[in-house]
Amino acid sequence: MTSGIMMRGCMAMTVAIAVSAITAARAETPVERGAYLVNTIMTCNNCHTPMGPNGPQFDKALSGGLTFDEPPFKVTASNITPDKETGIGAWSDADIKRTLRTGVRPNGVALAAVMPSGFYGIITDGDMDAIVAYLRSVKPVGNKVPDPVYHIALPHEVFPGAEKPLANTGGDDKVKRGFYLATVGHCMECHTPMGPAGHDFAGKLGAGGREFPGPWGKSTSRNITSHPDKGLGKWTDDEIKRAMTQGVARDGSPLKPPMGYPYYARMTPADLDAVVAWLRTVPPKE
């Protein structure tokens, strides 16, 4: 009897050790985690990779991309490859993290408001380390982008809830993880209208209505609140995920860029579910 119990105990321990070894073998490395974040929810390539006639030129990934010529500024998305002359190769890890969190370059020059650094304060320390590790690993590309031109000083606008790093990404709490991912993905940067002092996060969070001109013509950000008629309240989870990953509206009509549909399509099903779970909690707005 005793020997049987001991044998079963040894077998259980052996199985546990084997499962633990398999789990450890499949665990993401920091570079893999950083690659996932940068190339999916953060959509960094959407701005920082040059566009060719057939779309993003991924052979020059993250070497500088779109130019934004607006009344407050004229800026071109930076080269964030490890090239030491034209990219961030000469920056320290602390420099990269500080720039992402505060929107200020190591030389003291502020980034334009199109860089959503006001959302990146929420990034966990572990994920920030992973992002830096991945950026260190990409191919260095020499590409000097034009220096920024600022016509007025713009404040660093911080998204509510993104004031400091979270202790963790939410784990099994779907809504918390969805909020984390949607904030890292700066969804409300485009989907919240502007007020006199910046984004109207207090009164119109997620109500949409911002216009984005580009090669696609002009697109208008959608209402992604839980409003039953104006927003996503009557959409199924699958319809929301299809809109995110395929650019197809509930009625089957095509949606326009600059929403990063191809990048969101590479997210894990669990992460997509989490984002949808959080969107369900966004108060309805018209």
Side-chain angles (χ1 to χ4, degrees):
M1 180 83 169
T2 304
S3 61
I5 293 173
M6 289 178 66
M7 184 175 293
R8 286 195 296 272
C10 290
M11 289 176 64
M13 184 176 294
T14 301
V15 171
I17 291 171
V19 170
S20 177
I22 292 170
T23 301
R26 291 179 179 172
E28 282 183 308
T29 66
V31 170
E32 289 170 341
R33 174 62 177 172
Y36 176 75
L37 292 169
V38 167
N39 295 318
T40 63
I41 189 67
M42 293 178 74
T43 63
C44 299
N45 286 286
N46 225 15
C47 292
H48 287 278
T49 292
M51 291 291 290
N54 299 314
Q57 295 178 286
F58 288 114
D59 59 324
K60 300 178 181 178
L62 304 176
S63 65
L66 298 183
T67 295
F68 301 86
D69 190 357
E70 302 183 14
F73 48 73
K74 182 177 182 179
V75 298
T76 299
S78 302
N79 182 338
I80 56 173
T81 74
D83 183 72
K84 290 188 177 181
E85 301 298 325
T86 63
I88 59 173
W91 294 23
S92 69
D93 289 3
D95 288 336
I96 299 172
K97 294 175 186 179
R98 185 166 53 249
T99 299
L100 284 169
R101 292 197 191 281
T102 67
V104 179
R105 295 173 180 271
N107 62 4
V109 175
L111 300 175
V114 289
M115 175 65 176
S117 54
F119 291 76
Y120 293 157
I122 197 175
I123 297 175
T124 66
D125 290 336
D127 275 352
M128 187 62 81
D129 288 341
I131 291 165
V132 172
Y134 173 66
L135 291 177
R136 296 287 193 208
S137 77
V138 303
K139 181 181 75 172
V141 179
N143 180 36
K144 177 72 169 70
V145 304
D147 291 332
V149 177
Y150 299 102
H151 303 297
I152 61 173
L154 294 174
H156 179 61
E157 186 181 22
V158 177
F159 182 65
E163 296 84 2
K164 62 182 181 179
L166 283 187
N168 59 72
T169 59
D172 294 332
D173 186 332
K174 251 189 199 182
V175 172
K176 182 179 178 182
R177 191 164 85 253
F179 172 70
Y180 176 75
L181 290 166
T183 303
V184 170
H186 46 94
C187 301
M188 292 304 179
E189 177 194 18
C190 294
H191 287 278
T192 298
M194 302 294 286
H199 287 86
D200 188 6
F201 294 132
K204 289 284 188 178
L205 180 72
R210 292 190 63 190
E211 293 185 343
F212 297 90
W216 50 82
K218 184 181 288 185
S219 61
T220 303
S221 63
R222 297 293 183 105
N223 185 323
I224 57 172
T225 73
S226 57
H227 193 283
D229 300 313
K230 303 292 185 180
L232 305 175
K234 292 181 180 177
W235 292 41
T236 67
D237 289 3
D238 284 343
E239 286 170 343
I240 297 173
K241 287 185 277 190
R242 184 178 68 164
M244 286 179 61
T245 61
Q246 299 178 37
V248 179
R250 188 183 187 214
D251 61 6
S253 61
L255 300 171
K256 295 180 180 181
M259 181 87 166
Y261 313 110
Y263 305 107
Y264 302 137
R266 299 175 63 186
M267 292 174 64
T268 65
D271 280 352
L272 286 169
D273 286 344
V275 171
V276 172
W278 179 69
L279 287 173
R280 297 290 190 201
T281 71
V282 178
K285 302 289 180 182
E286 293 195 33

